[in-house]
Amino acid sequence: MGIIKVNNIKLYAFHGCLEEEAKIGSWYRVDVEVKADLKKSSRTDNLADTVDYVHLNHIVKEQMAIRSELLEQVAQRILDRFFREIQMIKKAKVAVAKINPPIGGNVEEVVIILTKKR
């Protein structure tokens, strides 16, 4: 078993419960971690034998572009697509962070972390 991480994917999106968040948006950071059997790819040096992190990044970008009120829903959609499209994945973790959330205080970020396994 091996781990592939794609860290610090920075995106501008329009998630949130407040009307202003839908209009002006804010910055987000997404970190993903997937577990899969990487023995074959470590021997073959062939992209078809591993989890393509370009594909992971593509899924994150597409799902982050779909507005949701809750980050939990965004993270779940990302996980669901990972498992639907990439059969090699055995377990995945997605962290979605809203940078400078509008919660009436000096808060750097709010992070939602969800995991899923086959």
Side-chain angles (χ1 to χ4, degrees):
M1 194 65 60
I3 297 173
I4 295 176
K5 292 183 179 185
V6 183
N7 292 328
N8 208 17
I9 303 168
K10 295 178 184 175
L11 304 141
Y12 200 84
F14 298 87
H15 307 299
C17 296
L18 303 175
E19 200 174 304
E20 65 191 39
E21 293 175 296
K23 293 177 183 174
I24 62 172
S26 60
W27 283 100
Y28 293 82
R29 187 191 78 244
V30 179
D31 298 314
V32 300
E33 177 180 301
V34 298
K35 292 185 178 181
D37 185 351
L38 303 179
K39 289 180 202 147
K40 185 175 181 182
S41 61
S42 68
R43 288 189 315 270
T44 65
D45 197 29
N46 188 333
L47 182 60
D49 295 330
T50 192
V51 176
D52 185 353
Y53 50 79
V54 173
H55 191 181
L56 297 173
N57 185 59
H58 177 75
I59 290 170
V60 168
K61 287 169 49 176
E62 283 190 350
Q63 294 306 307
M64 286 295 291
I66 301 168
R67 177 170 158 65
S68 292
E69 289 191 3
L70 300 178
L71 298 180
E72 291 92 326
Q73 186 185 64
V74 180
Q76 188 62 55
R77 284 197 320 261
I78 292 168
L79 283 171
D80 290 346
R81 283 223 20 221
F82 283 177
F83 281 85
R84 189 169 54 248
E85 296 179 22
I86 308 168
Q87 295 304 309
M88 285 187 67
I89 294 176
K90 302 296 183 206
K91 185 176 181 182
K93 178 168 73 170
V94 174
V96 180
K98 181 182 283 192
I99 311 300
N100 297 318
I103 61 174
N106 186 10
V107 176
E108 182 179 340
E109 64 185 14
V110 173
V111 183
I112 300 300
I113 302 170
L114 294 181
T115 59
K116 183 176 179 176
K117 62 182 173 180
R118 235 182 257 289

